[in-house]
């Protein structure tokens, strides 16, 4: 009996270890659904756009969400606005200069005020945000949703594994990153509101 109980305890322990093991999630979305939305709301003009060229990886442990690390990357040339002339200006040397600075990145450093309810974790994320060749440390609210065994549902059964969904909203200042600081703020707002909606995959 003791031998049986010992084997059972070992099996449970191994199962718990497998469940708790950190996983690396790939955010290069083959469906092209992942996106970042940006908004500048000046008195004379509102500018709304999005970016779909998102990649990067995040390591997440459902048993220890506070240990989350990773880096998300946005291809600068994937930033899009409906007006083609405005888009050309956005990508040009005076604004984002995507030829010289092809990526915008956010690298996680630490999480604070971590609260987990079932599979959803909220926290304040401290990280390094880089745009236009300038890096600033930001603290942003973030929501992490761990979806075990849901990769198949998202890929139509083509892949098995888990999902990590990240949602975040925060604001940066155009002037902090040297993005055409001379532009009149009544026409182009200094405040840029960013919304991130992405899902990463951990196949198995």
């Amino acid at each position: 009996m003791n031998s049986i109980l010992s084997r059972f305890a070992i099996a449970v322990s191994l199962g718990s270890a497998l469940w708790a093991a950190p996983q690396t999630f790939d955010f290069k979305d083959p469906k092209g659904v992942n996106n970042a939305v940006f908004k500048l709301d000046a008195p004379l003009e509102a500018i709304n756009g999005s970016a779909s060229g998102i990649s990067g990886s995040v390591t997440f442990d459902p048993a220890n969400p506070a240990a989350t690390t990773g880096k998300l990357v946005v291809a600068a040339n994937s930033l899009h606005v409906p007006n083609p002339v405005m888009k050309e200006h956005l990508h040009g040397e005076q604004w984002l200069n995507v030829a010289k600075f092809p990526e915008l990145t956010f690298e996680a450093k630490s999480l604070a005020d971590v609260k987990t309810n079932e599979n959803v974790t909220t926290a304040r994320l401290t990280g390094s945000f880089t745009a236009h060749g300038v890096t600033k440390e930001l603290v942003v609210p973030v929501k992490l949703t761990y979806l075990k065994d849901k990769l198949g549902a998202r890929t139509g059964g083509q892949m098995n594994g888990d999902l990590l969904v990240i949602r975040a909203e925060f604001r940066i200042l155009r002037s902090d990153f040297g993005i055409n600081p001379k532009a009149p703020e009544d026409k182009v707002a200094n405040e840029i509101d960013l919304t991130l909606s992405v899902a990463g995959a951990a196949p198995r």
Side-chain angles (χ1 to χ4, degrees), residues 2-76:
N2 288 337
S3 176
I4 293 173
L5 290 174
S6 296
R7 288 198 296 269
F8 178 75
I10 291 171
V12 170
S13 177
L14 288 173
S16 298
L18 289 172
W19 168 264
Q23 296 172 266
T24 298
F25 292 84
D26 182 2
F27 282 82
K28 188 171 180 59
D29 182 13
K31 294 186 69 174
V33 175
N34 282 348
N35 69 88
V37 175
F38 59 93
K39 180 178 181 180
L40 297 84
D41 193 3
L44 297 181
E45 202 163 80
I47 301 171
N48 296 277
S50 63
S52 57
I54 297 173
S55 60
S57 63
V58 171
T59 299
F60 176 82
D61 184 348
N64 185 20
T68 299
T69 60
K71 181 178 181 179
L72 294 179
V73 179
V74 178

Side-chain angles (χ1 to χ4, degrees), residues 3 24 30-31 56 67 82 85 90 105 115 132 160 164 173 204:
S3 176
T24 298
K31 294 186 69 174
V85 175
L90 177 67
T105 65
K115 298 176 182 176
H132 198 238
N160 293 320
L164 180 67
L173 298 180
R204 62 171 182 274

Side-chain angles (χ1 to χ4, degrees), residues 105-127:
T105 65
F106 194 105
E107 185 167 4
K109 290 186 174 181
S110 63
L111 272 69
D113 296 336
V114 179
K115 298 176 182 176
T116 300
N117 182 14
E118 295 182 347
N119 65 328
V120 178
T121 296
T122 58
R124 290 188 302 112
L125 171 64
T126 298

Side-chain angles (χ1 to χ4, degrees), residues 75-183:
N77 64 6
S78 76
L79 270 70
H80 174 78
V81 291
N83 184 302
V85 175
M86 188 178 291
K87 180 178 178 180
E88 183 178 351
H89 290 167
L90 177 67
H91 289 191
E93 291 185 8
Q94 200 170 17
W95 291 87
L96 288 177
N97 196 352
V98 301
K100 185 176 181 180
F101 307 110
E103 295 179 344
L104 298 88
T105 65
F106 194 105
E107 185 167 4
K109 290 186 174 181
S110 63
L111 272 69
D113 296 336
V114 179
K115 298 176 182 176
T116 300
N117 182 14
E118 295 182 347
N119 65 328
V120 178
T121 296
T122 58
R124 290 188 302 112
L125 171 64
T126 298
S128 297
F129 183 83
T130 300
H132 198 238
V134 178
T135 300
K136 298 284 185 181
E137 185 172 285
L138 301 179
V139 180
V140 305
V142 65
K143 182 171 78 170
L144 309 170
T145 304
Y146 174 65
L147 300 175
K148 184 174 175 57
D149 297 326
K150 290 296 185 180
L151 180 57
R154 192 169 193 268
T155 61
Q158 295 181 20
M159 301 171 70
N160 293 320
D162 304 334
L163 290 172
L164 180 67
V165 178
I166 300 179
R167 299 286 187 264
E169 295 184 15
F170 58 101
R171 173 175 287 183
I172 63 172
L173 298 180
R174 183 166 50 84
S175 56
D176 281 348
F177 295 89
I179 302 172
N180 198 359
K182 295 182 179 180

